[in-house]
Amino acid sequence: VSLQRLALSRSTLDRAAHRRSDPGLLEALLDNASTAVLLVDGERAPVVESSHGPVLALLEPQVAAGYVKAAWLPGDGRPVRLYLGDDASGREYVVLARTEPPLKGSGLPKNLPKAVPGDAADPAEPPLPGSRWAGLREVGVLLDDTGAGLLTTAIALSHWHAGHPRCARCGEPTAVIQAGWARSCPACGAEHYPRTDGAVIMAVTDDEDRILLGRQARWPERRYSCLAGFVEPGESLEAAVRREVFEEAGVVVGEVDYRGSQPWPFPASLMLGFRGRASSTEITVDGEELAQARWWSREELGLDIATGELLLPPEVSIARRLIEEWYGGPIRDAGEAWR
Ligand SMILES: [Zn+2]
């Protein structure tokens, strides 16, 4: 059995991809008051608190258009419109994503434009009374399945549009087609599709069933996680697991088992989770990616978490789930300080 119910792999929407080629689809949906519209600003969307925790603040098209006009225009141009599909009840979902100016780095948008004279709303104001802007890392575990899938997909697509305004073949600006799922170049005719970067992440264990965790050089003291890295061109997933572990920690990995995957749209990764069996135990960190790495037994890990000596990655990450799978159950109070 592979890892079940990973936080960002729970989408329930039917993507209805066959409808994307209908050029009038978005106009028709945005003319229909029953369409649910999600606003996405960088990596954030509005949420409201319910008795079950945060839920996405989905807007009627007219309310969303009013907010966009008052808060995002002028200055940012039109938001990118994305058709995400429908749910079991037949409700249709459209995203309006603010993608300009292009995002810098992977953090929250820092340069929200100043309100210009005549603007009805401050851009930082949430679109509904009682709502607030929240990021996927914060609410990804707490949203229901539909909400988690919506926000994950919306952010992934939004990032791709923000980072790919021009044609990779001829350099001219491109236009959004396929209801937000592609861009085409009017100059050379090339079509461009969203990319997903494969990244492997692995819980490596030794003959005594201890787990190997590492601390990246840019992380604070005490923060450790599974080793991870991008798959290179021409490389299999299994080879990427072995290469990354050897490069970063000097440990040789033999047998490799796939455990599950989840999208990680910061900005475009698909995390592919593995267990790896080490055939050596001596650690030599590369000093660039990893500052430190060591082996933990279950007993040592439990103790170090209890005393605060070890901070694990947050529940939204597949890293946390891989560690918990090895540990034998959920680990509480281990990553709250890691935000
Ligand atoms: Zn072109």
Side-chain angles (χ1 to χ4, degrees):
V1 183
S2 58
L3 290 173
Q4 299 295 305
R5 296 191 58 75
L6 289 158
L8 306 185
S9 298
R10 295 179 287 141
S11 183
T12 58
L13 287 189
D14 178 347
R15 296 183 171 223
H18 62 283
R19 299 187 66 193
R20 295 172 190 162
S21 56
D22 173 357
L25 175 68
L26 285 166
E27 293 297 343
L29 291 176
L30 291 172
D31 260 348
N32 185 338
S34 66
T35 298
V37 178
L38 178 67
L39 298 177
V40 168
D41 186 346
E43 293 183 352
R44 300 180 304 168
V47 299
V48 290
E49 290 301 324
S50 77
S51 52
H52 312 292
V55 294
L56 293 178
L58 298 166
L59 310 177
E60 283 186 21
Q62 222 177 346
V63 175
Y67 179 83
V68 166
K69 194 173 177 203
W72 290 356
L73 299 171
D76 283 327
R78 290 172 65 85
V80 175
R81 304 183 305 180
L82 315 166
Y83 173 59
L84 293 205
D86 57 19
D87 65 18
S89 73
R91 194 179 195 192
E92 308 268 15
Y93 294 86
V94 171
V95 170
L96 301 180
R98 184 193 203 195
T99 59
E100 295 171 21
L103 300 172
K104 294 194 176 69
S106 62
L108 299 177
K110 295 196 174 53
N111 306 315
L112 293 173
K114 303 272 185 297
V116 299
D119 259 5
D122 179 336
E125 281 292 313
L128 286 180
S131 68
R132 65 185 172 89
W133 292 100
L136 186 58
R137 284 183 175 88
E138 178 197 348
V139 297
V141 166
L142 307 171
L143 293 172
D144 66 13
D145 293 358
T146 300
L150 261 177
L151 188 53
T152 303
T153 307
I155 289 174
L157 268 181
S158 172
H159 274 167
W160 178 70
H161 284 290
H164 298 82
R166 288 177 176 275
C167 179
R169 192 194 284 175
C170 77
E172 288 298 309
T174 52
V176 180
I177 58 168
Q178 292 283 329
W181 288 87
R183 300 181 75 100
S184 75
C185 176
C188 77
E191 291 192 354
H192 302 282
Y193 293 89
R195 300 291 162 171
T196 294
D197 301 328
V200 290
I201 182 159
M202 39 277 172
V204 173
T205 53
D206 69 2
D207 285 346
E208 297 169 36
D209 207 19
R210 297 180 302 172
I211 193 169
L212 175 67
L213 301 177
R215 184 175 75 78
Q216 289 188 19
R218 59 194 170 84
W219 291 350
E221 300 289 327
R222 300 183 293 143
R223 181 181 294 185
Y224 284 80
S225 185
C226 297
L227 274 51
F230 287 107
V231 182
E232 293 189 343
E235 188 173 48
S236 71
L237 298 174
E238 293 83 354
V241 169
R242 296 187 182 105
R243 175 183 54 75
E244 285 288 346
V245 176
F246 188 74
E247 278 179 6
E248 294 187 1
V251 169
V252 178
V253 170
E255 197 180 321
V256 167
D257 290 311
Y258 175 70
R259 302 305 305 138
S261 70
Q262 87 164 347
W264 193 248
F266 307 110
S269 296
L270 175 64
M271 305 304 298
L272 301 142
F274 290 86
R275 285 288 286 272
R277 278 295 293 273
S279 53
S280 72
T281 55
E282 194 176 312
I283 293 170
T284 313
V285 291
D286 64 4
E288 290 181 19
E289 287 272 332
L290 285 192
Q292 287 170 293
R294 58 160 281 201
W295 299 97
W296 269 271
S297 68
R298 287 182 187 76
E299 201 177 350
E300 289 166 340
L301 187 107
L303 193 65
D304 284 350
I305 287 167
T307 58
E309 284 300 301
L310 173 62
L311 301 174
L312 292 183
E315 286 175 57
V316 70
S317 67
I318 190 171
R320 174 68 167 268
R321 297 292 307 281
L322 285 165
I323 295 167
E324 290 181 339
E325 185 186 44
W326 162 81
Y327 189 72
I331 304 168
R332 297 295 166 209
D333 305 322
E336 308 319 314
W338 185 339
R339 279 277 156 79

